[in-house]
Amino acid sequence: MLEIKNLHVSVHGKAILDGLSLKVNPGEVAAIMGPNGSGKSTLSYVIAGKPGYEVTAGEVLLDGENLLELQADERARKGIFLAFQYPIEIPGVATMTFLKASLNAQRRGRGEADLTTPEFMRRVREASQRLKVDQEMLRRPLNVGFSGGEKKRIEILQMTLLEPRYGVLDETDSGLDIDALRIVSEGVNALRNANRGFLVITHYQRLLDHIKPDVVHVMAKGRIVASGGPELALELEKNGYRDYPAQAA
Amino acid sequence: MAAVQETVDRVRSIDVDAYKYGFVSAIESDMAPKGLNEDIVRFISAKKEEPEWLLAWRLEAYRRWLTIDEPKWARVDYPPIDFQDLYYFAAPKTAAGPKSLDEVDPELLRTYEKLGIPLVEQEILAGVERPRVAVDAVFDSVSVATTFKAELGKAGVIFCSFSEAVHNHPDLVRRYLGTVVPATDNFYATLNSAVFSDGSFVYVPPGVRCPMELSTYFRINEKNTGQFERTLIIADKGSYVSYLEGCTAPKRDENQLHAAVVELVTLDDAEIKYSTVQNWYPGDAEGRGGIYNFVTKRGDCRGARSKISWTQVETGSAITWKYPSCILRGEASRGEFYSIAISNGRQQVDSGTKMIHLGRNTTSRIISKGVSAGKSQNTYRGQVSAHRLATGARNFTNCDSLLIGSECGAHTVPYIEAKNASAVIEHEATTSKVSEDQLFYCQQRGLSPEEATALIVNGFVRDVLQQLPMEFAVEAQKLIAISLEGSVG
Ligand SMILES: Nc1ncnc2c1ncn2[C@@H]1O[C@H](COP(=O)(O)OP(=O)(O)OP(=O)(O)O)[C@@H](O)[C@H]1O
Ligand SMILES: [Mg+2]
């Protein structure tokens, strides 16, 4: 289980997360919606271990283990995957090379042997066919000159190969055209199983039409202000956030 | 800043002390007494049973050397070198020159083995998977063993130690020695001309494409020995050769001087590709010890449409002072310089190239990638000049610097000079940092900070790595990781 308890986070002395609590059970898809600047990306970074965020109180637990004590790469090897809202460019490093390096780094971290090249290629081919990612693109430097939609697909391709315990998807739908939204969503759905959970950050119902959430949380001013079933997202779509005014800290 | 800071700390703590090749071989050596005077020059020449003309050439260089001063313009800083406190000749003790590998001191072979040099001919011939490389190993001053002689001989390629060439091919040596880097060229080259001990010689006859990569491994072993290599490569009309030089040196407390000279000559339509992977001992974390690498490398595109391409991966040495250059004399000749210079700890690198366009329609291309970490200083110094008759000369220069941490420095010093109005000279330069976001992104995918840094740096230098022969590109990639992290690969 991924459990966030009373999380307080500030950046440069400015409080951004303000007592946020949340649980994602294995097999579950939890959606987070919330106005711009409410702290959704910040939450995803803190879960993944990005430096520069000061956790002033609270815990992030993966199956009871406190992730906050681990480096980002250690968390990744424990099965935390973050699909970035804005994926980063790595000039000169072919996407294929990056995929192989990260997959093998995680395997080594778990005491497993490197994948053989044919086995690696087989997996990449399978995943990229499913996500309709062109082989040619895998030869290009990671994210350099990729369109917004291409970057998002590559994020999900990486998640597919790395097979995490928990996937945190930060606005994966933004930048995707209608077909791509369907393809990427199917890619995510294919990964759903009884042991794997997802935290899906989005602004729009259209993603949740494809990836059906079990729970929907509404976030405002750095905390969860409402939780419910899929109907909560539909309600937000209609009414916006006006029913969730900034609740005093 | 945390992740970058951590990487910086880690690099700082392990880097240079983890030098992988720091071992000293227990081999008896035959040395000239300390210091430098005419008698030492004569001693060296006599040891090598050189002809009179060569001794005269050395002595002239020595007398000239006495009259010139050390250059001071480079952005490097070191205490004065006492040239009387060095040994100028050290040869491993063997009866005569070894006839085959069986005669070579086994300790020496073990040293090479530690270095991972494919010296053992039988293994290669037996089909063990190894690159097809002929190796001429230079252990301190004397070239010890040369492999693949027979096959090269069939193609008519001469590849031997410099001393051997002096005896067996005196006409070629005499015709070309000092014609690219004159004995009077500069302080270190002149010193080299007086006391050079050994090195490699290559001659590729007209129309011959050398059937394999040629390689020399330099290694400095003896304490307080200046190593003065002399390499001469001649590609006759329409020929091609690719040559790789790899360098290592054992770890010592005191600094060692290395002042080599490399001369390349291409005649009409010939091409020389010269690649260097240099990881001399850089000194410890405090900057003690390490190699002073003051090297003069120059190629002369003497013939029309000929080409010389320098590729270098520089990760070692306490101080590097090195500017592999091309004189583009032949019409439509071409010079290339591809460089990766990585500095860490307290290393100082002042390196770059000169492209001297003399002939019509000559072209040159410079791609330089400097990576600085720790407290190091990394300077690119390049000169591109187009002379009066160099109508249609073109140069493209791209010079990128990458900084890791905030205590290091990167500097770019281009000199551009066009005396012919039709010359086109382009210069691009960028400086960037390994960003916090890139490191986090890589770590989020499971790469450790070291792995992430190495991956990002390898991406940064990729254009140049691709210029290396395949086998060596892999080697260089590992070396880059080692020089940045100290993690023994
Ligand atoms: N490094 C930082 N320095 C200063 N302020 C920051 C920093 N990172 C985030 N913030 C601020 O924290 C708040 C939350 O940002 P965050 O990116 O988490 O919002 P979000 O919910 O993901 O918004 P969006 O829906 O627009 O993606 C914003 O006001 C943002 O400006
Ligand atoms: Mg966001």
Side-chain angles (χ1 to χ4, degrees), chain B residues 140-394:
Chain B
D140 281 15
S141 310
V142 176
S143 180
V144 210
T146 305
T147 53
F148 276 114
K149 275 237 164 98
E151 197 175 336
L152 289 171
K154 238 185 281 162
V157 174
I158 302 169
F159 177 35
C160 62
S161 72
F162 201 92
S163 323
E164 253 179 281
V166 167
H167 290 114
N168 300 338
H169 312 281
D171 295 344
L172 281 173
V173 175
R174 204 168 176 178
R175 182 168 348 142
Y176 290 103
L177 176 69
T179 64
V180 185
V181 179
T184 54
D185 192 78
N186 70 70
F187 185 83
Y188 299 111
T190 305
L191 176 62
N192 174 290
S193 301
V195 299
F196 73 87
S197 32
D198 212 330
S200 301
F201 177 84
V202 178
Y203 172 77
V204 191
V208 171
R209 194 177 167 86
C210 186
M212 64 191 73
E213 307 272 347
L214 302 182
S215 165
T216 297
Y217 264 81
F218 286 116
R219 181 167 158 71
I220 298 182
N221 199 57
E222 201 64 43
K223 265 183 136 165
N224 286 323
T225 326
Q227 184 156 356
F228 304 96
E229 300 304 328
R230 188 102 202 173
T231 297
L232 176 56
I233 302 178
I234 301 134
D236 212 324
K237 290 181 181 169
S239 69
Y240 169 83
V241 63
S242 166
Y243 188 90
L244 185 107
E245 169 202 68
C247 323
T248 56
K251 207 165 156 165
R252 291 194 189 284
D253 288 341
E254 64 278 20
N255 298 90
Q256 299 167 80
L257 174 65
H258 181 253
V261 170
V262 176
E263 297 180 279
L264 311 182
V265 179
T266 47
L267 303 185
D268 287 355
D269 300 295
E271 177 175 349
I272 297 176
K273 185 174 168 59
Y274 192 105
S275 315
T276 306
V277 175
Q278 185 267 109
N279 64 328
W280 300 117
Y281 178 50
D284 67 12
E286 302 308 310
R288 276 186 305 258
I291 301 289
Y292 290 171
N293 193 24
F294 301 138
V295 172
T296 304
K297 290 183 165 175
R298 196 173 303 152
D300 187 357
C301 287
R302 214 163 275 183
R305 298 165 305 277
S306 66
K307 176 175 167 187
I308 288 177
S309 169
W310 299 99
T311 304
Q312 59 173 29
V313 178
E314 301 279 322
T315 67
S317 293
I319 298 177
T320 301
W321 179 96
K322 179 182 169 188
Y323 316 89
S325 306
C326 296
I327 300 169
L328 303 168
R329 200 184 301 275
E331 184 166 341
S333 61
R334 178 169 176 82
E336 293 174 346
F337 175 74
Y338 299 102
S339 170
I340 297 170
I342 298 189
S343 57
N344 195 358
R346 291 183 184 268
Q347 281 175 273
Q348 306 173 56
V349 178
D350 195 300
S351 184
T353 186
K354 287 182 198 171
M355 293 291 171
I356 312 295
H357 293 256
L358 300 179
R360 295 158 61 92
N361 298 323
T362 47
T363 57
S364 63
R365 179 177 162 87
I366 299 171
I367 308 286
S368 163
K369 305 276 180 181
V371 179
S372 341
K375 290 187 159 72
S376 65
Q377 294 295 328
N378 203 325
T379 301
Y380 168 81
R381 190 181 300 276
Q383 180 185 346
V384 177
S385 63
H387 285 244
R388 212 166 40 76
L389 299 176
T391 305
R394 291 192 72 102

Side-chain angles (χ1 to χ4, degrees), chain A residues 73 76 80 82 92 155 158, chain B residues 437 441 443-445 447 462:
Chain A
D73 50 315
I80 297 292
L82 170 60
E155 292 292 287
Q158 294 182 54
Chain B
D437 285 343
Y441 187 87
Q443 279 184 261
Q444 207 306 300
R445 300 307 188 237
L447 298 166
R462 189 167 87 141

Side-chain angles (χ1 to χ4, degrees), chain B residues 442-457:
Chain B
C442 294
Q443 279 184 261
Q444 207 306 300
R445 300 307 188 237
L447 298 166
S448 67
E450 296 89 338
E451 290 168 325
T453 308
L455 190 76
I456 292 165
V457 168

Side-chain angles (χ1 to χ4, degrees), chain A residues 49-51 71-73 76-77 80-82 84 88-89 91-93 98 101-102 105-106 142-143 155 158, chain B residues 1-3 6 435-449 451 455-456 458-460 462:
Chain A
K50 185 174 182 178
Q71 295 291 323
D73 50 315
R77 278 176 254 138
I80 297 292
F81 181 92
L82 170 60
F84 284 62
I88 305 295
E89 298 182 359
V93 177
F98 186 83
S102 52
Q106 294 215 6
L142 183 66
N143 291 327
E155 292 292 287
Q158 294 182 54
Chain B
M1 261 354 265
E6 250 164 59
S435 81
E436 186 80 28
D437 285 343
Q438 286 176 324
L439 280 176
F440 172 60
Y441 187 87
C442 294
Q443 279 184 261
Q444 207 306 300
R445 300 307 188 237
L447 298 166
S448 67
E451 290 168 325
L455 190 76
I456 292 165
N458 270 306
F460 173 74
R462 189 167 87 141

